[in-house]
Amino acid sequence: MFTVKPFKIDVKQTVLDDLQARLRQTRWPDAPENIGWKYGTDPVFLQSLVKYWQSGYDWRKQEAALNKYPQFTVEIDGLTIHFQHIKSKNPDAKPLLLLHGWPDCFYRYQKVIPFLTNDYDLVIPSLPGFGFSSHVPVTDDGSARIFASLMNDVLGYKTFYAAGGDMGMGIAKSLANIYPQQVLAIHLSDVGYPTGMEDWSTMSKAEQEFGQFIQGWWYQEGAYAMLHATKPQTQAYGLNDSPAGLASWIVEKFNSWSTPGGTIEDHFTKDELLTNIMIYWVTQTINSSMRAYAIDNAAELASSKKVNTPTGVAVFPGDAPTPKEWAERKVNVKRFTKMEKGGHFAALEVPELWANEVNTFFKSQAGK
């Protein structure tokens, strides 16, 4: 028996006051002049973001905007799961589960809600270990079991669609492989990456080039993931204690993983960046979110196996340049699209473009 409870975000004023005190007392490190993003987070941008956080950002306004959509919590497998459930007025609407990744949260999908509610009942959860869910990460397979139960046992959807990227990709693949009768189709913005263990003689030239790209990417950009997978507790002390440090850890990824070209503010507003950061700060989930990497790293997962469920794949220019041949190794590709704009957080960066692509794919699968 599941007890679904209405949920409203209502952060205590003492938490916000403490945040302001910490921001005022930020101890800034030195930095080479005009270094920009070369060594990581741009000090000029971060100082401007923190200044706005202190004097211009209005959490209560953002909190009210998030609370416009119905939110709930329910206990599944001993964990509290937070989720938004936005029902369509269309009697023929299909249920669609939207799964986020790191370092974002359920906020990733807030801008796509108006574009999808004509055709879908939307279920947008906080992954275990993230946001307003329990501070206990679980594997892709564990999350798949939780979300299958949420959709089926709690909400009564016997079949559904799922879409996601990053960690959400892994969970969507696990859902499709463990519950093929329930999951009608999935849509992904990535499908997984070469590990170096593949037999290159079986790979196309495009796949080999992709493998070389990923190897180079790990050397240049992958240090955060190795830390998360091996020593997440080490950096958690600083990130959970310093809002400026937390912001630095997160915004660097939003800068690196958005549409190439322009500045970070060409892709995201300061309000959007800070609202995502605030959800980590007020829930104190940066540690559990990072620990999710270590949990998955030590497990044999259904998400590592090829998916036979119909799959749509959209590759965004700010994300890994996945070739179609590689996608076909990992999933049952029914639609493959190279997008013109967007990156790792495409649903937040280019919401209408992302929503139209997802909608086009799922409508092509309706009735099959």
Side-chain angles (χ1 to χ4, degrees), residues 153-166:
D153 304 323
V154 177
L155 300 179
Y157 297 123
K158 300 307 178 186
T159 59
F160 58 92
Y161 298 133
D166 192 75

Side-chain angles (χ1 to χ4, degrees), residues 16-29:
L16 302 182
D17 293 342
D18 173 74
L19 168 64
Q20 286 297 319
R22 291 169 186 264
L23 289 171
R24 286 194 298 270
Q25 295 176 45
T26 300
R27 189 169 70 166
W28 294 101

Side-chain angles (χ1 to χ4, degrees), residues 283-352:
T283 60
Q284 297 192 57
T285 49
I286 188 61
N287 189 18
S288 54
S289 74
M290 296 187 302
R291 200 160 65 245
Y293 285 72
I295 299 295
D296 266 352
N297 194 45
E300 290 286 335
L301 300 170
S303 57
S304 66
K305 298 179 174 62
K306 181 172 181 178
V307 170
N308 292 317
T309 298
T311 305
V313 179
V315 178
F316 291 87
D319 222 338
T322 305
K324 187 176 182 181
E325 302 99 296
W326 177 258
E328 288 172 338
R329 285 179 183 267
K330 296 296 181 179
V331 295
N332 180 13
V333 176
K334 295 299 183 183
R335 180 179 174 87
F336 183 88
T337 308
K338 292 276 192 178
M339 306 299 289
E340 60 186 36
K341 290 176 61 178
H344 194 72
F345 312 101
L348 184 63
E349 184 185 354
V350 286
E352 188 169 6

Side-chain angles (χ1 to χ4, degrees), residues 52 98 136 152 214 223 275:
Y52 179 72
L98 300 180
V136 181
N152 191 331
I214 293 299
T275 297

Side-chain angles (χ1 to χ4, degrees), residues 130-353:
F130 287 75
F132 299 98
S133 290
S134 286
H135 298 192
V136 181
V138 298
T139 64
D140 288 350
D141 291 5
S143 290
R145 287 190 291 271
I146 287 170
F147 293 134
S149 183
L150 173 65
M151 297 300 284
N152 191 331
D153 304 323
V154 177
L155 300 179
Y157 297 123
K158 300 307 178 186
T159 59
F160 58 92
Y161 298 133
D166 192 75
M167 290 179 178
M169 172 274 297
I171 297 167
K173 288 173 68 178
S174 285
L175 274 165
N177 281 336
I178 299 171
Y179 304 98
Q181 300 306 311
Q182 292 184 39
V183 182
L184 299 176
I186 62 174
H187 188 278
L188 309 173
S189 53
D190 54 287
V191 298
Y193 308 112
T195 65
M197 302 298 291
E198 295 80 14
D199 180 357
W200 278 48
S201 68
T202 68
M203 297 170 69
S204 69
K205 181 180 179 181
E207 288 177 296
Q208 292 177 10
E209 291 174 350
F210 181 54
Q212 292 169 338
F213 171 88
I214 293 299
Q215 184 179 47
W217 186 92
W218 276 110
Y219 281 118
Q220 294 293 322
E221 299 285 344
Y224 81 96
M226 295 302 294
L227 280 169
H228 291 190
T230 58
K231 307 289 184 183
Q233 194 69 31
T234 299
Q235 66 264 33
Y237 300 104
L239 299 180
N240 197 60
D241 189 61
S242 167
L246 178 67
S248 175
W249 197 247
I250 291 176
V251 299
E252 192 268 327
K253 301 310 174 195
F254 276 77
N255 178 72
S256 297
W257 299 346
S258 58
T259 305
T263 69
I264 188 171
E265 289 188 89
D266 291 327
H267 309 297
F268 308 100
T269 68
K270 281 189 170 77
D271 280 344
E272 289 167 355
L273 294 170
L274 287 172
T275 297
N276 182 67
I277 293 164
M278 280 290 290
I279 292 169
Y280 279 91
W281 181 260
V282 302
T283 60
Q284 297 192 57
T285 49
I286 188 61
N287 189 18
S288 54
S289 74
M290 296 187 302
R291 200 160 65 245
Y293 285 72
I295 299 295
D296 266 352
N297 194 45
E300 290 286 335
L301 300 170
S303 57
S304 66
K305 298 179 174 62
K306 181 172 181 178
V307 170
N308 292 317
T309 298
T311 305
V313 179
V315 178
F316 291 87
D319 222 338
T322 305
K324 187 176 182 181
E325 302 99 296
W326 177 258
E328 288 172 338
R329 285 179 183 267
K330 296 296 181 179
V331 295
N332 180 13
V333 176
K334 295 299 183 183
R335 180 179 174 87
F336 183 88
T337 308
K338 292 276 192 178
M339 306 299 289
E340 60 186 36
K341 290 176 61 178
H344 194 72
F345 312 101
L348 184 63
E349 184 185 354
V350 286
E352 188 169 6
L353 195 66

